[in-house]
Amino acid sequence: MEVVEKQKLEKNLLAAVRMDRKNDKALKRKRSEVDSDEFDENQENIETPAIKKQRTDHRLLTSSLMLIDRTASDGNGKMALSRSFVSLAMVMEEPEILDGDRTEMSFRACAQADENACAESERRLLTWAIDWTRQVADMEDAISNNDKIALLRACCVPLTLLELGARSCVTAAQSKSSCAALHVLPLPNNTYLRTDAQLPQNCFLTANSIRGLLEWTTRHLKQLQLTPKELVLLKALIVVNTKILERKGKRPLFAP
């Protein structure tokens, strides 16, 4: 895949973010005009065909990403296939290999995670990241499976941490407890990890990383008050961000 292809998709995503923000501001401005005495009932919002097309394209892009986010988290109820060896190349070529791992993701934080729950959550989050990367990459025809794997390796950790952070915001809001926001990290199988309790030996996160993630979530992510649309656009930007695909002092990974 050429760097220009990723830059094009990244540019479209950034434009969609700006358009979403612009639409919100325009809606608020229009409401304020309606409430004011100076509002002209004959006033019309005149847009050029190019702007209308751009708005339609951005709406379609956002809808596609919302669908990706929903399908990546859904379960399919299928049994896992017994294979002695599974590689990233295989799952990119044949996504159905992971059907048995696509259980419905639910972050209700009902019970503290044990070793089995940790292993299950780690596998489910990896499957989710694979699905997100593959489907976003499929929006550009020029992206090969090798390129998808490179994208996955670059974005898997930040993408997963963003998802866990966003889910912890919801859990903290539902519990209405500051303690939950600082100590409880929900996992996708209705279990949770606590920073003030011993973690399972096979836990894929350390106590310090969980603590740091929850602090960042409370201090920064929560303050952004991202809408669902903005959150999926941010996830897509993490997947296609060309800056994280460049090696320091070297040409981009996808340069010919």
Side-chain angles (χ1 to χ4, degrees):
M1 176 182 63
E2 302 290 344
V3 175
V4 67
E5 295 293 339
K6 298 191 307 303
Q7 290 176 337
K8 178 182 176 183
L9 181 55
E10 183 180 359
K11 182 179 179 181
N12 290 338
L13 289 168
L14 286 170
V17 173
R18 297 190 187 99
M19 183 65 72
D20 194 59
R21 287 288 188 178
K22 183 178 179 181
N23 289 341
D24 289 342
K25 291 180 180 178
L27 181 59
K28 291 178 181 178
R29 184 166 58 250
K30 183 171 290 187
R31 286 174 178 171
S32 65
E33 290 173 348
V34 170
D35 294 336
S36 69
D37 296 333
E38 299 177 358
F39 178 71
D40 182 2
E41 294 183 356
N42 295 322
Q43 182 180 0
E44 294 183 354
N45 182 20
I46 301 176
E47 293 182 342
T48 65
I51 293 178
K52 289 183 179 180
K53 183 180 184 303
Q54 185 183 43
R55 192 181 301 277
T56 301
D57 290 343
H58 291 161
R59 190 179 297 114
L60 179 60
L61 174 61
T62 304
S63 299
S64 299
L65 293 173
M66 294 289 287
L67 180 61
I68 289 174
D69 194 51
R70 185 167 63 253
T71 56
S73 301
D74 284 345
N76 53 27
K78 295 183 179 180
M79 296 294 293
L81 299 177
S82 57
R83 289 177 179 265
S84 58
F85 173 78
V86 175
S87 66
L88 289 177
M90 292 169 62
V91 299
M92 289 298 181
E93 184 70 28
E94 301 178 71
E96 61 273 10
I97 291 176
L98 297 178
D99 277 353
D101 298 306
R102 292 187 177 94
T103 55
E104 182 178 358
M105 295 176 69
S106 179
F107 292 80
R108 287 196 293 270
C110 299
Q112 191 165 339
D114 56 16
E115 291 189 2
N116 289 334
C118 267
E120 180 183 303
S121 294
E122 182 179 14
R123 192 171 183 86
R124 184 63 184 95
L125 288 169
L126 176 58
T127 302
W128 173 85
I130 291 172
D131 288 342
W132 242 101
T133 304
R134 176 178 52 79
Q135 293 184 77
V136 170
D138 282 342
M139 297 174 73
E140 289 291 336
D141 296 334
I143 301 181
S144 67
N145 284 337
N146 287 337
D147 294 333
K148 293 175 186 177
I149 293 172
L151 284 172
L152 174 65
R153 287 173 173 163
C155 76
C156 185
V157 172
L159 183 65
T160 302
L161 291 178
L162 174 63
E163 177 70 0
L164 290 174
R167 297 289 188 167
S168 69
C169 284
V170 176
T171 299
Q174 291 174 344
S175 67
K176 298 180 180 179
S177 169
S178 58
C179 179
L182 294 175
H183 297 291
V184 176
L185 181 69
L187 296 179
N189 55 359
N190 292 328
T191 61
Y192 61 86
L193 299 171
R194 292 188 65 94
T195 58
D196 56 355
Q198 185 174 0
L199 299 175
Q201 290 186 349
N202 65 337
C203 187
F204 55 96
L205 293 170
T206 65
N208 286 337
S209 61
I210 296 173
R211 191 175 297 109
L213 174 60
L214 292 175
E215 288 178 357
W216 172 79
T217 299
T218 303
R219 295 178 182 178
H220 302 288
L221 183 60
K222 183 179 178 181
Q223 308 306 320
L224 293 176
Q225 297 182 336
L226 296 175
T227 66
K229 289 182 180 180
E230 291 169 343
L231 185 59
V232 297
L233 287 167
L234 181 56
K235 291 176 185 177
L237 283 172
I238 290 175
V239 173
V240 302
N241 189 353
T242 56
K243 292 181 181 179
I244 64 175
L245 297 177
E246 295 177 357
R247 296 174 178 173
K248 188 175 181 180
K250 299 182 180 180
R251 65 180 186 175
L253 283 173
F254 296 104

